[in-house]
Amino acid sequence: MTDNDNNVAGLPPEDKMGFAVPKTPAHSLMLLNSYMRTDMLQHIHSRLHKMRDADEPGSPLHHVAISLEQVINTWDGINLFECFTRNPFHIDPDYEFRPEQDYLHDIRLMKHHLKHHRKMISELGSWR
């Protein structure tokens, strides 16, 4: 991704097309909601709701990381892009949906967020 990719008309450059470093679990979900291109997004939310409803232990940061990890582990490497449609919450309503490319983009975006959540969890653990 180049700096020019971040200068798409009308999109916040600080979001880095979703690849900004998430500051909080809410910030991460806002970026994912806005920049994921497929409705794979619903699987993240579904898993978060299941954890909340089951009153599973852990912080929101842990829950987002677990949800991302589960979705990535389910869909990465199997390339079932035909199972997904366009994300209805994508920040650019005129975005041209390309299932195969967008599927791979979303896996990459989720991995980016998971990497930063794991790093934050590790850093927080070392403060104890």
Side-chain angles (χ1 to χ4, degrees):
M1 180 166 53
T2 67
D3 288 339
N4 291 337
D5 292 335
N6 295 329
N7 294 328
V8 178
L11 300 181
E14 65 274 9
D15 285 356
K16 297 184 180 179
M17 303 296 286
F19 286 92
V21 173
K23 295 175 178 63
T24 65
H27 181 234
S28 179
L29 290 174
M30 185 272 303
L31 291 169
L32 293 169
N33 283 337
S34 295
Y35 292 99
M36 282 186 72
R37 297 173 179 175
T38 70
D39 64 346
M40 194 180 304
L41 172 69
Q42 71 181 331
H43 294 282
I44 296 168
H45 285 285
S46 173
R47 291 166 195 261
L48 284 170
H49 287 285
K50 283 179 186 174
M51 282 189 277
R52 183 197 63 203
D53 293 346
D55 201 23
E56 290 190 21
S59 69
L61 177 61
H62 286 93
H63 288 179
V64 171
I66 290 167
S67 295
L68 287 169
E69 187 171 48
Q70 289 174 344
V71 173
I72 291 166
N73 288 341
T74 300
W75 299 104
D76 188 23
I78 59 174
N79 211 21
L80 289 175
F81 60 89
E82 62 274 354
C83 295
F84 295 96
T85 60
R86 188 183 194 286
N87 171 12
F89 306 107
H90 192 276
I91 195 166
D92 180 3
D94 297 325
Y95 175 74
E96 180 186 341
F97 182 62
R98 290 174 246 141
E100 189 168 9
Q101 287 175 266
D102 295 343
Y103 178 94
L104 297 172
H105 168 273
D106 286 357
I107 297 288
R108 203 171 103 242
L109 181 58
M110 288 187 294
K111 285 180 175 180
H112 167 82
H113 281 254
L114 179 58
K115 176 182 97 178
H116 288 287
H117 291 316
R118 284 178 174 160
K119 180 179 177 194
M120 193 180 313
I121 289 168
S122 174
E123 289 172 355
L124 289 171
S126 68
W127 289 351
R128 292 181 179 171

